[in-house]
Amino acid sequence: MGGGPASRRSSDAVPRPGLMRSWWLREALAAEGDAPPARPLDHDVRAEVLVVGGGYTGLWTAYHLTELAPAVDVVVLEQDICGGGASGRNGGFVTGWWDELSRLVDLFGERGGVEVSRAAGRSVRAIGEFCQRHGIDAWYRRAGYLMVAAATAQEGAVDEAVAVARRRSVERELVPLSPEAIRARCNSPVFGRGALMRDGATVQPARLARGLRRVLLDRGVRIFEGTRVRGLRTGDPCVAQTPRGSVRARSSVLAVNAWGVAWPVLRRLTVARGSYMVLTEPIPDRLEQLGWTGGECITDLRTAVHYFRTTDDGRIAFGGGGASVGLGRRMGRTFTHDRAAVARTVEGFHRLFPDLADAALVEAWGGAVDVGPVHVPVFARAGRGRVFLAVGYTGNGVGPSELAGRILARRCLDVEDECTALPIASHRPRRYPPEPFRSVGGRIINAAVVRRDRQMEQRGRPGGVTDFLARLPSRVGYRLPPE
Ligand SMILES: Cc1cc2nc3c(=O)[nH]c(=O)nc-3n(C[C@H](O)[C@H](O)[C@H](O)COP(=O)(O)OP(=O)(O)OC[C@H]3O[C@@H](n4cnc5c(N)ncnc54)[C@H](O)[C@@H]3O)c2cc1C
């Protein structure tokens, strides 16, 4: 246990990122008995629906396909193993969209915004029900999500979110809490006002992804791992080419998240940005001292947000957004090996939890987030064919990917219902500019956002140029924070 006085700063030993698998995924694979991956595709096959990508989006799509049509013939192609991407590396926050209500109302109108937020809330509960129904121990715990001002300059964002919920008569969804009430749940000396969203849960993210995979295999879905799709012809049928085989299918779903930067159809809908996490050793007694035993997941209100939660074995998993933006079509080491990003995350951990300076940080890992032009996912169809896609979760896809899977499955089967009638299902957002403006611009703006957050924490207001650059996207019509 990491008890005792703060004599040793764990930042002296910043954990090194770059392991291929996150701690979550290694834990989940070990719990499965380290079974070998599914075999790669080595021949030509036919299917009714092809899913490219074995993360939550692809796996939930396949799951809902089998819910809607139990006999449907589905093939999933994954270049790595299922859960090898963001779905096995994330913070495990399963959150609704009540904190996004202002943006959603802007996009979809008064009724539409509330309707979409309610649908996202249903997904938070549906994930728990899924785990229970299929006996998946994904550590699902619905203890709510706390958004907390960790600097005076962040308090305005809490007040604004709470006021927006009140104006739409959904004040029960985002309940304001005083600094004392916040600190009774998690005692950090820098926490000020905050709000509690009851549509909030945590999971062991990789166990969820692997649980989905297990259910799909049980249902007869053919999953090929270690199989990279090199090209997808969008005609009828769609044809996917892989190194040693092909899949012909009537419909196809492209669920490749930030790898979308390499696909012409997705490139103008996403920018890949890194996010990094660190993990403490088990410190259950220290969590008791903090009073953080209720299982709430918490974020501060920076733009490049800090997100943190506890684990079943008494650790803190702490993440920081705003790591580097990728250049062009490459998904390089910047998303997995960025030591400076880990050091910034560690710095954030120590600022928020100074009493834990001696708690050892034993793991670090990173992954890529697909930053979309409106901060919530975009659903689209590639050309006139039957290739459907969802991209742009912007670091908030654990809950919403369940909703995305529902919508995409219905698209593949030509089912129209209340899910496909949601305004988010047919929204057409503004696209990013072409290269090199997309990724170079993304880098400049991301650096300004990180600088602005720091200035707001340190001196309560941002510098003029930094503020101008950080707000530039919203000035030219994108709905990226800050607004
Ligand atoms: C560090 C980190 C922390 C995060 N924390 C949270 C959080 O706490 N809460 C939250 O809601 N969201 C969080 N997110 C975001 C969340 O993880 C994602 O929104 C979600 O996992 C998206 O699922 P996905 O299936 O779309 O993407 P992924 O899980 O990335 O799946 C895409 C899959 O496609 C595969 N693929 C790509 N190209 C090909 C190809 N050509 N052929 C075959 N396969 C291919 C990849 O290998 C990958 O497995 C976080 C993300 C990161 C990186």
Side-chain angles (χ1 to χ4, degrees):
M1 300 299 119
S7 55
R8 163 176 64 103
R9 270 189 81 87
S10 57
S11 58
D12 295 345
V14 171
R16 202 186 185 96
L19 280 178
M20 188 165 169
R21 306 276 177 239
S22 71
W23 180 82
W24 300 125
L25 187 51
R26 284 186 279 124
E27 196 281 338
L29 291 172
E32 273 176 30
D34 285 314
R39 64 192 165 85
L41 182 70
D42 59 2
H43 54 293
D44 299 334
V45 297
R46 288 175 185 272
E48 275 171 80
V49 182
L50 161 68
V51 173
V52 183
Y56 300 139
T57 305
L59 299 175
W60 279 121
T61 302
Y63 177 75
H64 286 299
L65 282 164
T66 59
E67 286 286 280
L68 290 165
V72 67
D73 181 17
V74 185
V75 164
V76 176
L77 299 181
E78 164 56 50
Q79 63 184 1
D80 182 3
I81 60 171
C82 292
S87 299
R89 298 168 177 266
N90 62 71
F93 283 49
V94 190
T95 46
W97 275 335
W98 297 109
D99 55 333
E100 296 275 358
L101 189 55
S102 161
R103 201 186 315 271
L104 294 172
V105 166
D106 260 15
L107 290 170
F108 309 129
E110 295 283 335
R111 255 191 49 201
V114 172
E115 216 183 324
V116 168
S117 296
R118 286 204 196 290
R122 279 195 292 278
S123 286
V124 174
R125 295 185 290 281
I127 291 172
E129 286 155 14
F130 164 83
C131 291
Q132 196 164 28
R133 177 177 168 197
H134 297 286
I136 293 165
D137 180 12
W139 305 1
Y140 180 89
R141 186 170 181 188
R142 190 163 164 242
Y145 155 52
L146 279 183
M147 49 194 285
V148 176
T152 313
Q154 294 173 13
E155 292 194 329
V158 178
D159 300 342
E160 170 64 14
V162 167
V164 169
R166 194 172 294 144
R167 279 203 294 280
R168 269 82 199 185
S169 308
V170 288
E171 57 271 30
R172 277 165 30 122
E173 305 298 349
L174 209 56
V175 177
L177 294 179
S178 66
E180 295 71 34
I182 292 283
R183 290 183 195 179
R185 289 166 179 267
C186 179
N187 190 12
S188 158
V190 297
F191 285 174
R193 292 200 286 281
L196 175 69
M197 182 159 68
R198 60 181 175 168
D199 278 342
T202 49
V203 286
Q204 201 288 34
R207 281 181 173 238
L208 176 62
R210 302 297 298 179
L212 272 159
R213 174 185 184 274
R214 196 257 292 154
V215 172
L216 294 177
L217 289 171
D218 288 350
R219 290 185 171 193
V221 169
R222 287 177 288 165
I223 298 179
F224 297 95
E225 295 179 316
T227 304
R228 194 169 90 82
V229 174
R230 289 173 159 169
L232 183 59
R233 207 182 67 202
T234 61
D236 183 10
C238 323
V239 185
Q241 291 298 341
T242 75
R244 290 162 58 207
S246 69
V247 182
R248 301 169 85 81
R250 176 167 178 263
S251 305
S252 168
V253 167
L254 202 47
V256 293
N257 191 27
W259 284 267
V261 294
W263 291 76
V265 61
L266 288 166
R267 206 173 287 153
R268 304 262 314 259
L269 291 172
T270 189
V271 166
R273 189 176 65 194
S275 191
Y276 278 81
M277 299 203 74
V278 293
L279 184 76
T280 67
E281 62 187 328
I283 46 169
D285 48 345
R286 310 297 291 278
L287 295 179
E288 291 269 355
Q289 284 163 15
L290 289 171
W292 192 12
T293 51
E296 303 90 341
C297 51
I298 312 179
T299 67
D300 64 11
L301 286 152
R302 290 160 49 112
T303 305
V305 69
H306 287 130
Y307 49 99
F308 32 103
R309 44 83 54 97
T310 52
T311 65
D312 267 20
D313 61 348
R315 301 166 189 260
I316 296 176
F318 186 100
S324 174
V325 164
L327 273 185
R329 301 171 194 183
R330 275 183 308 162
M331 285 287 287
R333 289 162 61 93
T334 188
F335 302 113
T336 46
H337 288 68
D338 184 347
R339 293 198 79 186
V342 175
R344 281 198 302 277
T345 306
V346 170
E347 199 182 297
F349 174 74
H350 287 135
R351 179 175 174 273
L352 268 52
F353 295 107
D355 293 347
L356 297 182
D358 61 328
L361 296 168
V362 292
E363 294 266 346
W365 63 89
V369 161
D370 56 341
V371 179
V374 286
H375 215 253
V376 290
V378 172
F379 295 84
R381 187 177 187 140
R384 279 191 293 272
R386 293 187 57 80
V387 176
F388 305 99
L389 56 95
V391 73
Y393 297 101
T394 319
N396 183 11
V398 180
S401 57
E402 195 277 340
L403 175 61
R406 280 177 196 267
I407 294 171
L408 293 167
R410 282 160 173 77
R411 292 282 185 240
C412 293
L413 298 177
D414 298 313
V415 172
E416 300 284 337
D417 63 7
E418 70 284 354
C419 254
T420 51
L422 285 170
I424 196 169
S426 49
H427 172 63
R428 295 280 160 270
R430 178 165 188 185
R431 290 172 177 250
Y432 285 126
E435 290 294 359
F437 304 105
R438 183 183 60 93
S439 52
V440 174
R443 277 204 165 182
I444 293 169
I445 284 158
N446 188 55
V449 161
V450 171
R451 220 166 36 241
R452 183 180 186 276
D453 282 337
R454 192 179 290 251
Q455 291 169 347
M456 301 268 278
E457 278 171 0
Q458 288 171 351
R459 50 180 214 234
R461 62 185 163 72
V465 176
T466 298
D467 194 45
F468 173 80
L469 286 172
R471 288 176 184 276
L472 196 55
S474 50
R475 291 209 171 106
V476 297
Y478 299 104
R479 286 185 170 77
L480 300 172
E483 293 184 337

